[in-house]
Amino acid sequence: MEEDFINTLWLTGKLATLSTMFLLIIGLPIAYLLAYTHFKLKALVEALICMPLVLPPTVLGYYLLVAFSPQNVLGIFLEKHFDTRLAFTFEGIIIASIIAGLPFMIQALQNGFSSLPKSYREASYTLGKSKATTFFRVLLPNIKSSLITGIALTFAHCIGEFGIVLMVGGNIPGETRIASIAIYDEVQALNYKAANQYSFTLFLISFILLTLIYSINKSFKFKTL
């Protein structure tokens, strides 16, 4: 039982870490574009990004499962050209977690970029700095609080994800069975001791992450006074 508990937590942490890393890479350019550019379909793009916040996870999970199925275009393409199946695999639940976590990362980063004065970019461009240099040397260092918030919230959300992971990955021990699914299993089996062990661990991780967010944000606000 102890080995299963550790393996499940390891898989949960691995999923949350990889999903958060990919979301940070994806989220930074998207948040930058949404914060500083205006285009006709911007409202539509923002609505699509935020859909996981209002859409039941099982609905999103169902459509992803259908898309990943070997009987559909995407599934056929992946199997034919890459010899890969995403349904009921760890790779599949990573993609599902990335899609479900998009609004948590992008909204935090977009708010950070939007809160910066225009003078920061204008001064950098006036000094002859490129957009890339301005992005990495001027903008990113000034949204540290938003970066930390986005990373922590995304990581916490990925750890607690249930519906979309269950729909896309099923419940395969060592492959797609993460802690939130394990809690459901243990309750169904009336094994409340194990369910409490998983639940308390997730509660503790979430509490620590939220405390970290508030502590760091207060620290940054104090330094700017």
Side-chain angles (χ1 to χ4, degrees):
M1 176 61 197
E2 195 65 32
E3 185 179 351
D4 182 54
F5 176 76
I6 293 171
N7 288 338
T8 301
L9 288 184
W10 164 253
L11 189 67
T12 305
K14 182 180 175 183
L15 173 66
T17 301
L18 290 174
S19 298
T20 302
M21 287 172 56
F22 284 124
L23 276 166
L24 183 62
I25 295 169
I26 296 167
L28 279 170
I30 294 175
Y32 176 86
L33 289 173
L34 291 176
Y36 296 128
T37 60
H38 299 280
F39 49 94
K40 289 183 179 180
L41 298 178
K42 183 177 178 180
L44 178 63
V45 172
E46 289 180 320
L48 286 173
I49 289 171
C50 291
M51 279 294 285
L53 291 176
V54 297
L55 200 64
T58 48
V59 174
L60 187 57
Y62 167 74
Y63 283 117
L64 285 174
L65 182 61
V66 170
F68 295 161
S69 170
Q71 280 76 45
N72 284 294
V73 177
L74 178 60
I76 293 171
F77 175 81
L78 290 172
E79 190 166 0
K80 182 178 179 180
H81 296 282
F82 299 98
D83 193 26
T84 299
R85 285 194 179 189
L86 294 178
F88 305 110
T89 64
F90 183 72
E91 291 77 13
I93 63 174
I94 286 181
I95 294 174
S97 293
I98 289 171
I99 293 172
L102 272 174
F104 296 93
M105 180 65 78
I106 290 177
Q107 283 192 336
L109 297 178
Q110 185 180 350
N111 291 336
F113 284 127
S114 298
S115 67
L116 296 179
K118 288 183 179 180
S119 58
Y120 284 24
R121 286 189 301 148
E122 291 171 352
S124 180
Y125 295 152
T126 301
L127 293 171
K129 303 299 181 182
S130 66
K131 285 188 176 182
T133 301
T134 301
F135 180 80
F136 288 107
R137 296 290 184 86
V138 178
L139 301 181
L140 281 188
N142 284 287
I143 63 162
K144 288 179 182 176
S145 177
S146 296
L147 274 170
I148 293 167
T149 299
I151 291 170
L153 287 178
T154 302
F155 187 85
H157 177 262
C158 290
I159 282 179
E161 188 57 68
F162 175 77
I164 193 171
V165 173
L166 185 62
M167 290 294 291
V168 174
N171 185 9
I172 306 171
E175 181 70 23
T176 62
R177 186 177 187 258
I178 60 174
S180 58
I181 296 174
I183 293 170
Y184 177 79
D185 277 351
E186 300 299 351
V187 171
Q188 289 288 95
L190 303 180
N191 188 357
Y192 297 117
K193 182 180 178 181
N196 180 65
Q197 194 176 12
Y198 283 114
S199 298
F200 182 73
T201 302
L202 294 189
F203 170 83
L204 198 61
I205 292 171
S206 300
F207 180 75
I208 291 171
L209 286 173
L210 287 174
T211 303
L212 180 67
I213 291 172
Y214 285 115
S215 299
I216 293 174
N217 283 346
K218 276 189 177 182
S219 174
F220 280 127
K221 287 179 181 179
F222 180 77
K223 287 179 181 179
T224 56
L225 294 177

